[in-house]
Amino acid sequence: GPDDDITLFYERMPDGLFVETLTNCKYRHAYLSIEGDYVLAKGLNLTALANYQWYTRYKTPDDKRYGYTYTFDTQLVYALPKAKINLVSNYYLRYDWLPLLQGREYFQEELLGCGVNRMFFDNKCSATLMFGLPTNLISKRTFREIDIEGYRSVTYGDGRMNSFIVSLNIRYSLGNGKARRYSSE
């Protein structure tokens, strides 16, 4: 079948130097998810999503490289009694071990947010103000490792979020329906 992906590739030149370029490869990706919505108490709702993904990259069937990702996404919403305001908190974690044709790559993402949501115009408009907070529950030292005959390279990065982030999300339903309440999308 046709090649599915483009990825980094390192090749030795006749003069002994290595050149980094891009090449086509086969790429297979599958995942399994489970999601739950729970009412913890009157006005208090929890949504949780767990996802596991696995990958295969290869040029030939006998030289396959494997990797995986898992994500965990939770959202806690509390509807204030007798008000159109919701208090919102969410936590998102992504952990990647990605296969390269000649090595592997580690990446992660971790987000914690708190905020408020309010409905307007007979529930046709939803506005959410969120505050992102720095988190350090997992290692933020990312890397790309290439290991082939005659060449080895490791590049490190720093994935820490050291700043305070504020976001405003506004949704308006143009049809006859109502805007959805807060969502982590």
Side-chain angles (χ1 to χ4, degrees), residues 60-98:
T60 62
D62 50 333
D63 189 25
K64 292 183 177 179
R65 302 287 179 131
Y66 301 97
Y68 63 91
T69 293
Y70 66 79
T71 62
F72 184 64
D73 193 1
T74 61
Q75 174 183 295
L76 188 64
V77 178
Y78 178 64
L80 292 175
K82 300 181 183 180
K84 292 184 179 181
I85 296 175
N86 296 310
L87 301 178
V88 179
S89 175
N90 59 20
Y91 176 74
Y92 175 77
L93 173 69
R94 180 183 179 102
Y95 185 92
D96 289 318
W97 277 98
L98 302 175

Side-chain angles (χ1 to χ4, degrees), residues 25-75:
C25 70
K26 305 279 189 208
Y27 180 71
R28 299 294 177 253
H29 176 211
Y31 62 91
L32 179 65
S33 296
I34 186 167
E35 182 175 10
D37 294 311
Y38 307 97
V39 176
L40 302 179
K42 185 176 179 182
L44 184 63
N45 297 305
L46 173 69
T47 300
L49 171 68
N51 179 290
Y52 181 78
Q53 304 172 45
W54 56 98
Y55 313 92
T56 307
R57 267 199 176 106
Y58 58 99
K59 297 251 328 148
T60 62
D62 50 333
D63 189 25
K64 292 183 177 179
R65 302 287 179 131
Y66 301 97
Y68 63 91
T69 293
Y70 66 79
T71 62
F72 184 64
D73 193 1
T74 61
Q75 174 183 295

